[in-house]
Amino acid sequence: MKIGTPKEILSGERRVAMTPDSALMLQKLGHECIIETGAGAEAGFADADYKAAGVEIAKTAAALWKAADVVAKVRAPEEVEVKRLRDGQTLISLINPSANADLLETAAKKGSTVIAMDMVPRISRAQKMDVLSSMANIAGYRAVIEAGNNFGRFFTGQITAAGKVPPAKVLVVGAGVAGLAAVGTSTSLGAITYAFDVRPEVAEQIESMGAEFVYLDFEEEQQDGSASGGYASVSSPEFREAQLAKFRELAPEMDIVITTALIPNREAPELWTEDMVAAMKSGSVIVDLAAERGGNCKLTVKDEKIVTENGVTIIGYTDFPSRMATQASTLFATNIRHMMTDLTPDKDGVINHNMEDDVIRGATVTHANEITFPPPPPKVAAIAAAPKKEAVKELTPEEKRAAEVAAFKAQTKNQVTLLVVGAVLLLAVGLVAPASFMQHFIVFVLSVFVGFQVIWGVAHSLHTPLMAVTNAISSIIILGALVQIGSGSFLVVVLAAISVFMTGINIFGGFLVTRRMLAMFQKS
């Protein structure tokens, strides 16, 4: 099959759906590649780069659409491109099928197969084709860069001879892929970063990245992530009011606000109201990543940057991935290539459109002259349903005290029993063993008892470094082996040599493991 990529005709779109590297990988699947001249120029890929990768260059878009069996592009096709679709041809791109019913109807009538990369189900094996996550990652990173470009101060705090510079305070609303990318970028630049999400389970991820999670004094059971494909679900009006009240409290303190909240197949929820913007300091910046779906900020203007009367800059760009065209194209082309890998299981250049496959079926919106959107739910859930947690009963101080006393009594009983049994056994051995043996045996028993008591009280996380050191130190028995290795008995020499070998492993291995463990707690 011949896979072709035309130049994007949507104004401002700089990405391309095929790169020289992805073309080489597609050729390994048995396919031929063709690209419209200049299609990759704005993403930093010249025609010469494609030629070097064995890609044919088409002089016009019409010639490419006519020659290609599979057309891979970034944006949904415009009207002129839809007219070029033909029977048996496959189109792979972002489609947004819920808003493009006319496109689906036309493609189905023409007998074309359309694969919407934005409909790839969120299951583990489909992550390599997840275009939305790839682009959201870039958008989150770029949002922080755009905010910094419009913010008049440093992100990180500084103390200089000229005075003290306070760090910027950044609030990220929504902790999906874009939100986490924004959190990571903001913290790495030194800002004090806060993040909010309606799913409290993401708090641990946010805090592990060095940011502070914004909690609400409001309890509401959210829909399980397995039912919504891992996305946030719609909240109740009461939760929304509590959420807005918290944002009003934070607004005067924040220098930069990045909103990323989206709910699938819905308009973006309004989370940053006009009075919150009015409460922000002059020079503050709002970056609205939901601008394409109406925006999370009341004052956002799609594809524009505005400055309010009180000096707050609001950025509503919808082309953040395209502003990093080289990186975005590389990731997008890789996602396309993985989709083609699944469509070409035998690597013989022949597409096997298996509608029984969860990923292929989920992404296919038209096939065999039929509209196949919306798809059935995948056989495998996007994420496993969280097990129901049983409420933990709070113990009263009296109950806690009683439990502690009972545990202490049980532990004491066990220890006394062990001591009595040990004493009886020791006495039994003493009745038959010579006195010289008993002296060494008693020392041995006491050392085992003391060692057990010491190790038992050490936290589990410290067992590895502790045992590594004790292994190295306990290998002092190598001295005895070295003394005996010169013995006249062959058996003694063999045993001594084995002892030297084993204790050598303990010594060098113990200190090596200890060194590696200590290195984990050191900053490079």
Side-chain angles (χ1 to χ4, degrees):
M1 306 289 278
K2 184 171 282 189
I3 303 173
T5 296
K7 185 176 182 179
E8 298 295 324
I9 60 177
L10 183 69
S11 177
E13 182 55 72
R14 301 171 59 211
R15 290 172 291 177
V16 63
M18 183 191 295
T19 64
D21 286 341
S22 73
L24 290 171
M25 300 303 292
L26 289 170
Q27 290 167 44
K28 290 181 180 179
L29 297 174
H31 301 294
E32 297 177 21
C33 297
I34 181 172
I35 193 166
E36 183 183 349
T37 182
E42 290 195 79
F45 304 108
D47 286 352
D49 298 328
Y50 287 103
K51 285 182 180 178
V55 180
E56 180 185 346
I57 307 296
K59 293 183 178 180
T60 64
L64 181 132
W65 283 84
K66 185 177 180 179
D69 301 300
V70 179
V71 176
K73 63 190 306 293
V74 177
R75 293 283 188 167
E78 300 289 331
E79 186 177 351
V80 64
E81 294 175 310
V82 174
K83 291 178 180 178
R84 290 172 176 156
L85 283 171
R86 66 175 188 272
D87 185 23
Q89 192 173 43
T90 298
L91 170 66
I92 305 176
S93 72
L94 296 172
I95 297 294
N96 190 12
S98 59
N100 278 315
D102 292 342
L103 166 60
L104 303 189
E105 189 175 340
T106 303
K109 286 180 180 178
K110 286 176 172 283
S112 303
T113 295
V114 178
I115 296 176
M117 293 299 292
D118 45 342
M119 288 298 297
V120 170
R122 299 192 76 190
I123 59 179
S124 296
R125 70 181 184 87
Q127 289 179 355
K128 59 189 177 183
M129 309 171 218
D130 192 350
V131 165
L132 295 182
S133 292
S134 297
M135 298 302 104
N137 185 26
I138 294 173
Y141 171 85
R142 183 70 187 195
V144 178
I145 303 303
E146 289 290 340
N149 189 44
N150 288 274
F151 184 57
R153 297 206 326 263
F154 295 137
F155 269 69
T156 185
Q158 292 187 6
I159 299 177
T160 70
K164 183 179 179 181
V165 180
K169 291 186 176 180
V170 178
L171 172 65
V172 179
V173 180
V177 176
L180 291 176
V183 167
T185 307
S186 176
T187 53
S188 66
L189 290 173
I192 299 175
T193 307
Y194 303 85
F196 173 82
D197 197 280
V198 298
R199 301 161 295 172
E201 61 267 24
V202 303
E204 189 175 339
Q205 297 178 51
I206 290 167
E207 289 167 353
S208 70
M209 300 175 75
E212 181 179 331
F213 186 75
V214 177
Y215 289 94
L216 290 184
D217 293 329
F218 187 93
E219 290 188 8
E220 177 179 86
E221 187 174 350
Q222 293 291 316
Q223 182 181 12
D224 193 273
S226 62
S228 57
Y231 292 101
S233 55
V234 180
S235 304
S236 68
E238 293 78 12
F239 183 89
R240 172 177 162 76
E241 288 304 316
Q243 179 179 319
L244 295 180
K246 189 65 177 180
F247 290 161
R248 287 190 180 95
E249 179 187 328
L250 293 173
E253 303 174 18
M254 295 301 136
D255 299 304
I256 295 170
V257 176
I258 298 172
T259 62
T260 70
L262 282 172
I263 298 173
N265 302 317
R266 289 176 176 267
E267 287 295 306
E270 183 184 311
L271 300 176
W272 208 259
T273 58
E274 193 170 348
D275 61 305
M276 296 176 196
V277 176
M280 296 179 74
K281 300 187 288 285
S282 177
S284 300
V285 179
I286 298 172
V287 182
D288 195 341
L289 290 181
E292 196 164 9
R293 295 286 183 88
N296 295 137
C297 178
K298 176 70 174 177
L299 303 180
T300 297
V301 179
K302 183 180 177 181
D303 291 319
E304 290 186 20
K305 179 177 75 173
I306 65 169
V307 180
T308 64
E309 292 182 0
N310 63 320
V312 177
T313 301
I314 303 176
I315 299 172
Y317 300 151
T318 60
D319 62 344
F320 285 106
S322 191
R323 289 169 180 261
M324 299 184 68
T326 303
Q327 184 66 74
S329 297
T330 300
L331 294 179
F332 195 102
T334 301
N335 295 140
I336 294 282
R337 189 254 298 174
H338 283 303
M339 175 61 76
M340 290 304 303
T341 301
D342 271 29
L343 288 168
T344 320
D346 296 329
K347 299 183 180 181
D348 56 357
V350 177
I351 288 181
N352 177 17
H353 203 101
N354 179 14
M355 292 294 275
E356 295 301 316
D357 183 285
D358 273 349
V359 178
I360 296 173
R361 174 64 188 91
T364 302
V365 292
T366 69
H367 182 64
N369 295 99
E370 292 182 359
I371 296 176
T372 58
F373 174 82
K379 302 180 189 74
V380 180
I383 57 175
K388 293 292 183 182
K389 296 180 180 178
E390 295 183 5
V392 180
K393 181 185 174 184
E394 281 288 335
L395 298 177
T396 63
E398 292 77 13
E399 290 174 329
K400 289 180 180 178
R401 176 64 181 166
E404 289 173 359
V405 170
F408 175 76
K409 287 181 177 179
Q411 185 180 9
T412 303
K413 182 179 178 181
N414 290 337
Q415 289 183 346
V416 170
T417 302
L418 289 173
L419 286 172
V420 170
V421 171
V424 170
L425 292 175
L426 194 62
L427 183 60
V429 172
L431 293 174
V432 296
S436 58
F437 171 80
M438 286 304 298
Q439 291 179 355
H440 297 292
F441 185 66
I442 291 173
V443 172
F444 172 73
V445 170
L446 290 176
S447 63
V448 169
F449 176 76
V450 172
F452 174 80
Q453 291 296 325
V454 171
I455 300 299
W456 188 259
V458 175
H460 293 293
S461 58
L462 297 177
H463 278 184
T464 300
L466 177 67
M467 293 306 295
V469 174
T470 53
N471 279 351
I473 295 173
S474 65
S475 295
I476 194 71
I477 59 174
I478 195 173
L479 297 178
L482 290 173
V483 169
Q484 296 297 325
I485 205 166
S487 172
S489 171
F490 176 75
L491 179 60
V492 172
V493 171
V494 170
L495 292 175
I498 294 174
S499 298
V500 170
F501 175 72
M502 298 300 291
T503 52
I505 293 176
N506 262 0
I507 292 171
F508 297 109
F511 283 121
L512 182 62
V513 171
T514 303
R515 183 174 177 274
R516 288 184 177 178
M517 291 294 296
L518 293 175
M520 293 171 62
F521 299 94
Q522 294 177 346
K523 289 186 177 181
S524 58

